[in-house]
Amino acid sequence: MTDAASSPGVSQPGPVKPPLRDRLPIVSHLRRSVGLQRTMLVIGLVILVVFLLAAVFAPLLAPYGFAQQSAGGVKFGTQQPPNATNLLGTTVSGFDVLSRTIWGAQTALLAIVCAILFSIFLGIFLGLFSGYFGGWLDRTLVVVCDAIYAFPSLLLAIVMSIVISRGQSTLWGGILATAIAITVVFVPQYFRVIRAEVVRVKAEPFVESARVIGVPTGRILVRHVLRNSTRSLPVVITLNASEALLTMAGLGFLGFGIEATAAAEWGYDLNRAVADVASGIWWTAIPPGVAIVLVVLGVTLVGESLNDLSDPRLRTRRRARSVPASVTPAQVRTSGEAASEGGIS
């Protein structure tokens, strides 16, 4: 009896491609995570979701405006302890601490998004062309990126703040100063990640076949090389996000950040609260400080989890603990390699 699968003329079904929702970076990592890795990833995602909700819905969540000093014709007063009107008290300038903490999430989100967008597009563009074409362009860009590592991001941000806004930062002036400084510092990281992947992918047989049959270079770069060279980007993006937040907070703390009447910014509020701590006034410093720590912690937890789950060796060990004893390690490695190759289109 002849098997149907081996009969001539019967087409073999190809591998089933997982649905799009299972191939998204965060969702796919969450489905593969177990134990401590899943706990870290879930905690980080919860913190980031709360941060995003606070930033997006700040006008609805904050009881007052970020620069509001009175309500109903009655001034708040300065350095007032937590009370019914001001749930977390007031600052030395008479601003509501809770409102400025919530509005500060919006400023932080804008700085993070701008820094990531600037860095990722420039880094991918340079890494793609450098890795694919090579030659003198590749050597020049590698040397330049190595030299950029010598620039401290905070010092560069201070210079940018002075150049852009002359030390009196508006909302977008402070955000652009931070974004430009982070872009200059983080472009080498995106460049190195993308370049290394492009150098590997361009030697694959499917890229060589595309060249042979005359596929245009632009289509090869975008459709074949770039699509298979961006798997490590989520990890670098999380590092970029936390660095952007810390740089903006550092600018504000040193007095080069955004003015209080232009926007709420956690680093500026910490700067104004330094003298309060010595006087026993805790409520002006703890909320913005805790906000910075929590957001950086959430981004770091997500980044570390993505880094661990992107390592094929860790995935293989995790599968080896979960498979039955009758399954050999060679079968585990084979299934792990097949799963990794299935994610590459």
Side-chain angles (χ1 to χ4, degrees), residues 2 31 41-42 66 109 115-116 119 128 131 137 140 185 196 229 241 274 293 299 304:
T2 306
R31 291 174 64 89
L41 184 56
V42 169
F66 58 83
L109 179 61
I116 289 177
S119 302
L128 183 62
L137 175 64
T140 302
V185 174
S229 303
V274 170
V293 171
V299 174
E304 289 295 330

mmCIF file of all heavy atoms in Angstrom, residues 2 31 41-42 66 109 115-116 119 128 131 137 140 185 196 229 241 274 293 299 304:
data_model
loop_
_atom_site.group_PDB
_atom_site.id
_atom_site.type_symbol
_atom_site.label_atom_id
_atom_site.label_comp_id
_atom_site.label_asym_id
_atom_site.label_seq_id
_atom_site.Cartn_x
_atom_site.Cartn_y
_atom_site.Cartn_z
ATOM 1 N N THR A 2 0.625 2.101 -0.950
ATOM 2 C CA THR A 2 1.462 3.284 -1.086
ATOM 3 C C THR A 2 0.932 4.411 -0.213
ATOM 4 O O THR A 2 -0.259 4.683 -0.207
ATOM 5 C CB THR A 2 1.515 3.765 -2.545
ATOM 6 O OG1 THR A 2 1.928 2.674 -3.357
ATOM 7 C CG2 THR A 2 2.468 4.917 -2.703
ATOM 8 N N ARG A 31 5.101 34.435 25.721
ATOM 9 C CA ARG A 31 4.593 33.068 25.569
ATOM 10 C C ARG A 31 5.692 32.036 25.801
ATOM 11 O O ARG A 31 5.416 30.936 26.278
ATOM 12 C CB ARG A 31 3.993 32.877 24.175
ATOM 13 C CG ARG A 31 2.704 33.654 23.951
ATOM 14 C CD ARG A 31 2.249 33.525 22.503
ATOM 15 N NE ARG A 31 1.928 32.139 22.183
ATOM 16 C CZ ARG A 31 0.727 31.600 22.349
ATOM 17 N NH1 ARG A 31 -0.260 32.326 22.857
ATOM 18 N NH2 ARG A 31 0.502 30.348 22.017
ATOM 19 N N LEU A 41 9.512 39.588 33.425
ATOM 20 C CA LEU A 41 8.903 40.223 32.257
ATOM 21 C C LEU A 41 7.534 40.789 32.585
ATOM 22 O O LEU A 41 7.197 41.907 32.167
ATOM 23 C CB LEU A 41 8.806 39.216 31.119
ATOM 24 C CG LEU A 41 8.289 39.727 29.775
ATOM 25 C CD1 LEU A 41 9.138 40.888 29.285
ATOM 26 C CD2 LEU A 41 8.279 38.611 28.741
ATOM 27 N N VAL A 42 6.737 40.053 33.346
ATOM 28 C CA VAL A 42 5.392 40.523 33.695
ATOM 29 C C VAL A 42 5.470 41.760 34.591
ATOM 30 O O VAL A 42 4.739 42.736 34.384
ATOM 31 C CB VAL A 42 4.598 39.395 34.378
ATOM 32 C CG1 VAL A 42 3.306 39.936 34.976
ATOM 33 C CG2 VAL A 42 4.273 38.294 33.379
ATOM 34 N N PHE A 66 0.121 71.140 35.701
ATOM 35 C CA PHE A 66 1.495 70.973 36.197
ATOM 36 C C PHE A 66 2.054 72.260 36.785
ATOM 37 O O PHE A 66 2.961 72.224 37.617
ATOM 38 C CB PHE A 66 2.411 70.451 35.085
ATOM 39 C CG PHE A 66 2.466 71.327 33.868
ATOM 40 C CD1 PHE A 66 3.306 72.422 33.817
ATOM 41 C CD2 PHE A 66 1.678 71.045 32.764
ATOM 42 C CE1 PHE A 66 3.365 73.234 32.690
ATOM 43 C CE2 PHE A 66 1.736 71.840 31.635
ATOM 44 C CZ PHE A 66 2.572 72.939 31.598
ATOM 45 N N LEU A 109 7.842 60.343 28.573
ATOM 46 C CA LEU A 109 7.476 59.516 27.418
ATOM 47 C C LEU A 109 7.858 60.201 26.109
ATOM 48 O O LEU A 109 8.370 59.556 25.182
ATOM 49 C CB LEU A 109 5.983 59.211 27.447
ATOM 50 C CG LEU A 109 5.454 58.367 26.281
ATOM 51 C CD1 LEU A 109 6.125 56.997 26.264
ATOM 52 C CD2 LEU A 109 3.942 58.213 26.370
ATOM 53 N N ALA A 115 13.962 60.144 21.390
ATOM 54 C CA ALA A 115 15.322 59.603 21.393
ATOM 55 C C ALA A 115 15.386 58.274 20.642
ATOM 56 O O ALA A 115 16.322 58.022 19.876
ATOM 57 C CB ALA A 115 15.808 59.418 22.830
ATOM 58 N N ILE A 116 14.393 57.410 20.853
ATOM 59 C CA ILE A 116 14.393 56.109 20.187
ATOM 60 C C ILE A 116 14.207 56.269 18.682
ATOM 61 O O ILE A 116 14.907 55.636 17.877
ATOM 62 C CB ILE A 116 13.301 55.202 20.780
ATOM 63 C CG1 ILE A 116 13.692 54.775 22.200
ATOM 64 C CG2 ILE A 116 13.075 53.977 19.905
ATOM 65 C CD1 ILE A 116 12.644 53.939 22.897
ATOM 66 N N SER A 119 17.402 57.689 17.071
ATOM 67 C CA SER A 119 18.522 56.743 17.106
ATOM 68 C C SER A 119 18.295 55.557 16.186
ATOM 69 O O SER A 119 19.199 55.123 15.470
ATOM 70 C CB SER A 119 18.746 56.247 18.542
ATOM 71 O OG SER A 119 18.989 57.311 19.428
ATOM 72 N N LEU A 128 22.873 49.227 7.944
ATOM 73 C CA LEU A 128 22.465 48.465 6.778
ATOM 74 C C LEU A 128 23.401 48.704 5.596
ATOM 75 O O LEU A 128 23.889 47.760 4.953
ATOM 76 C CB LEU A 128 21.033 48.833 6.410
ATOM 77 C CG LEU A 128 20.383 48.088 5.248
ATOM 78 C CD1 LEU A 128 20.290 46.611 5.557
ATOM 79 C CD2 LEU A 128 18.997 48.669 4.949
ATOM 80 N N GLY A 131 27.178 47.470 6.505
ATOM 81 C CA GLY A 131 27.378 46.028 6.495
ATOM 82 C C GLY A 131 27.208 45.408 5.130
ATOM 83 O O GLY A 131 27.885 44.420 4.803
ATOM 84 N N LEU A 137 33.608 52.826 3.128
ATOM 85 C CA LEU A 137 32.488 53.358 3.895
ATOM 86 C C LEU A 137 32.326 52.608 5.211
ATOM 87 O O LEU A 137 32.145 53.220 6.271
ATOM 88 C CB LEU A 137 31.203 53.253 3.075
ATOM 89 C CG LEU A 137 29.906 53.674 3.793
ATOM 90 C CD1 LEU A 137 29.948 55.154 4.137
ATOM 91 C CD2 LEU A 137 28.694 53.352 2.929
ATOM 92 N N THR A 140 35.241 53.524 7.612
ATOM 93 C CA THR A 140 35.103 54.879 8.139
ATOM 94 C C THR A 140 34.033 54.947 9.221
ATOM 95 O O THR A 140 34.241 55.542 10.297
ATOM 96 C CB THR A 140 34.759 55.858 7.008
ATOM 97 O OG1 THR A 140 35.779 55.801 6.004
ATOM 98 C CG2 THR A 140 34.636 57.273 7.543
ATOM 99 N N VAL A 185 24.857 59.258 21.061
ATOM 100 C CA VAL A 185 25.512 58.235 21.867
ATOM 101 C C VAL A 185 25.034 56.831 21.499
ATOM 102 O O VAL A 185 25.813 55.878 21.507
ATOM 103 C CB VAL A 185 25.278 58.510 23.367
ATOM 104 C CG1 VAL A 185 25.814 57.375 24.221
ATOM 105 C CG2 VAL A 185 25.949 59.818 23.764
ATOM 106 N N ALA A 196 26.415 43.861 12.242
ATOM 107 C CA ALA A 196 26.812 42.468 12.461
ATOM 108 C C ALA A 196 25.800 41.498 11.855
ATOM 109 O O ALA A 196 26.184 40.486 11.248
ATOM 110 C CB ALA A 196 26.968 42.203 13.958
ATOM 111 N N SER A 229 17.492 41.094 9.995
ATOM 112 C CA SER A 229 18.614 41.658 10.757
ATOM 113 C C SER A 229 18.163 42.476 11.961
ATOM 114 O O SER A 229 18.992 43.166 12.570
ATOM 115 C CB SER A 229 19.475 42.545 9.844
ATOM 116 O OG SER A 229 19.935 41.834 8.725
ATOM 117 N N ALA A 241 15.798 53.520 25.993
ATOM 118 C CA ALA A 241 14.712 54.184 26.699
ATOM 119 C C ALA A 241 15.126 54.577 28.118
ATOM 120 O O ALA A 241 14.878 55.706 28.570
ATOM 121 C CB ALA A 241 13.486 53.270 26.739
ATOM 122 N N VAL A 274 15.995 69.279 46.933
ATOM 123 C CA VAL A 274 17.213 68.944 47.670
ATOM 124 C C VAL A 274 17.257 69.650 49.021
ATOM 125 O O VAL A 274 17.558 69.044 50.058
ATOM 126 C CB VAL A 274 18.453 69.302 46.826
ATOM 127 C CG1 VAL A 274 19.715 69.183 47.663
ATOM 128 C CG2 VAL A 274 18.553 68.393 45.616
ATOM 129 N N VAL A 293 12.839 55.817 39.450
ATOM 130 C CA VAL A 293 13.347 54.479 39.761
ATOM 131 C C VAL A 293 12.434 53.393 39.180
ATOM 132 O O VAL A 293 12.895 52.410 38.592
ATOM 133 C CB VAL A 293 13.497 54.312 41.284
ATOM 134 C CG1 VAL A 293 13.819 52.862 41.642
ATOM 135 C CG2 VAL A 293 14.588 55.225 41.816
ATOM 136 N N VAL A 299 11.717 49.240 32.599
ATOM 137 C CA VAL A 299 12.393 49.110 31.305
ATOM 138 C C VAL A 299 13.538 48.106 31.396
ATOM 139 O O VAL A 299 13.749 47.283 30.495
ATOM 140 C CB VAL A 299 12.904 50.486 30.841
ATOM 141 C CG1 VAL A 299 13.745 50.342 29.578
ATOM 142 C CG2 VAL A 299 11.740 51.432 30.587
ATOM 143 N N GLU A 304 16.152 42.965 30.178
ATOM 144 C CA GLU A 304 16.883 41.770 30.596
ATOM 145 C C GLU A 304 16.135 40.504 30.223
ATOM 146 O O GLU A 304 16.735 39.504 29.812
ATOM 147 C CB GLU A 304 17.126 41.822 32.110
ATOM 148 C CG GLU A 304 18.136 42.858 32.550
ATOM 149 C CD GLU A 304 19.532 42.566 32.031
ATOM 150 O OE1 GLU A 304 19.858 41.381 31.845
ATOM 151 O OE2 GLU A 304 20.286 43.522 31.779
#
